[in-house]
Amino acid sequence: MNRPVVLVSDPLPPETLAGLDAHDIRHCDGTDPAALRAALTEAHALLVRSGTKVDAEAIAAAPHLRVVARAGVGLDNVDIDAATAAGVLVANAPRSNVLSVAELTVGLIIASLRGVQAAGASLRAGRWERQAFKGSELAGRTVGIVGLGNVGRLVARRLAAFDVTLLAYDPYVPAADAATHGCRLLELDDLMARSDVVTVHLPRTPQTTGLIGRRELALARPNLHLVNTSRGGIVDESALFSALREGSVGGAALDVFEVEPPIGSPLLDLDAVVATPHLGASTREAQDRAGREAVRAVYDALAGRPVPHAVNAAAVESARARLSAVD
Ligand code: MLT
């Protein structure tokens, strides 16, 4: 019997693929939709990070596909409805990189408060401007965590060491639960009005897109620092740009953007913005964990075993039953 074809369409550490030695592993550039569709015609499994858009057209081009495994957390690059309708399992690696993202968040909060990126650029340009870069301490500040899920909680735990007051907004978390993470739960408007630093840890969904816009930024304390290591589009970038230009927001640290890469974004020209190219999960440890978990999902799915982090398992079973009845 032919070996199942596993298509890898984003960079993954090669050693994490070792668990698939018995499979026919092929690679393609998932950022090229036509190349992806062509490669998918023979694939039984697809392994991605966030660079590959697994849209309805990609799914339609993959008649043998059984599973899409995401080496990472966010699934906004996978059309889960289209996959489910085609009987394709979708699985992610939900905790693989949360520690790396939380650590980067803490680093970016301090980088924003201290103007680290602009100061470094000035130094590299041959200047020595010690007076120009006067930042603020984190101790004594109030930090608002928007989204108290896996990453938000780790951020809360780490920030506790900095002698800050922690607030949180999360409609899915009870106040008592937030309190166990050292956070006082508030509505978003209250959190915006009381925080010196706001850090965002949400998935991008229709409900969270544009959640922090002009109105919310207008509620903020003078000199707010806004940090986003979750997904672009949750913070309205044009509202943020205006607020930074007008000085009503003091600084921002952005690892994620509405459109990635954010070519031509005026935010990148502002000294008050610390910007990194979606590096939250880019540590050796996180990539290793994410790769191994995604490979495990492929292995289990192709062997017909339950896949622990499949997000659509029940719906796929009914869809497969419907599809085989039609056959
Ligand atoms: C994730 O959702 O896992 C992170 O944003 C990292 C990535 O996109 O690969």
Side-chain angles (χ1 to χ4, degrees):
M1 192 184 107
N2 288 341
R3 294 185 301 161
V5 174
V6 178
L7 183 63
V8 183
S9 62
D10 283 314
L12 284 178
E15 57 281 9
T16 62
L17 299 174
L20 293 172
D21 281 349
H23 301 64
D24 178 358
I25 300 177
R26 302 181 189 177
H27 295 265
C28 80
D29 175 4
T31 62
D32 175 345
L36 175 69
R37 287 195 296 273
L40 274 170
T41 55
E42 295 185 357
H44 297 93
L46 175 63
L47 257 168
V48 301
R49 281 191 64 193
S50 57
T52 301
K53 302 283 167 261
V54 191
D55 55 17
E57 283 162 17
I59 301 280
H64 310 293
L65 196 63
R66 308 285 294 169
V67 58
V68 175
R70 162 79 161 95
V73 180
L75 282 168
D76 45 326
N77 57 322
V78 180
D79 186 332
I80 297 173
D81 291 341
T84 305
V88 176
L89 272 181
V90 177
N92 65 352
R95 283 176 190 264
S96 55
N97 56 33
V98 291
L99 182 57
S100 293
V101 178
E103 288 186 356
L104 181 67
T105 303
V106 175
L108 286 180
I109 290 173
I110 294 173
S112 185
L113 287 168
R114 303 296 291 270
V116 165
Q117 205 164 49
S122 149
L123 181 61
R124 286 204 173 85
R127 297 192 292 273
W128 186 253
E129 302 179 300
R130 295 184 65 211
Q131 293 308 315
F133 296 103
K134 199 157 280 146
S136 318
E137 291 180 343
L138 179 53
R141 309 250 146 201
T142 298
V143 181
I145 300 177
V146 178
L148 204 53
N150 291 330
V151 178
R153 288 167 190 214
L154 290 179
V155 169
R157 194 154 131 206
R158 275 142 192 81
L159 287 181
F162 285 90
D163 297 327
V164 293
T165 301
L166 290 175
L167 307 177
Y169 163 73
D170 192 319
Y172 300 102
V173 171
D177 193 2
T180 65
H181 299 286
C183 300
R184 183 169 157 220
L185 199 69
L186 294 179
E187 290 302 321
L188 182 61
D189 285 4
D190 287 338
L191 177 144
M192 291 301 300
R194 292 175 194 215
S195 301
D196 301 300
V197 174
V198 168
T199 180
V200 182
H201 303 287
L202 295 171
R204 183 170 172 167
T205 65
Q207 290 73 38
T208 63
T209 300
L211 186 73
I212 299 185
R214 213 167 292 278
R215 196 186 71 80
E216 291 70 25
L217 292 173
L219 297 170
R221 283 183 172 177
N223 211 26
L224 171 77
H225 284 256
L226 183 79
V227 178
N228 188 3
T229 54
S230 59
R231 277 294 178 272
I234 297 168
V235 178
D236 177 331
E237 286 182 5
S238 84
L240 178 63
F241 178 74
S242 307
L244 285 160
R245 275 275 294 269
E246 289 154 11
S248 55
V249 168
L254 305 172
D255 186 46
V256 289
F257 299 87
E258 271 168 28
V259 177
E260 293 183 358
I263 294 164
S265 167
L267 284 165
L268 302 183
D269 296 331
L270 299 180
D271 275 354
V273 173
V274 177
T276 46
H278 200 147
L279 294 181
S282 296
T283 61
R284 275 182 282 282
E285 295 84 353
Q287 287 310 302
D288 189 67
R289 284 191 293 268
R292 285 179 203 283
E293 280 183 38
V295 161
R296 183 82 225 173
V298 166
Y299 192 84
D300 287 340
L302 294 181
R305 279 199 286 268
V307 176
H309 298 303
V311 296
N312 60 347
V316 160
E317 239 174 75
S318 344
R320 283 185 184 166
R322 266 198 312 278
L323 292 170
S324 59
V326 171
D327 287 350

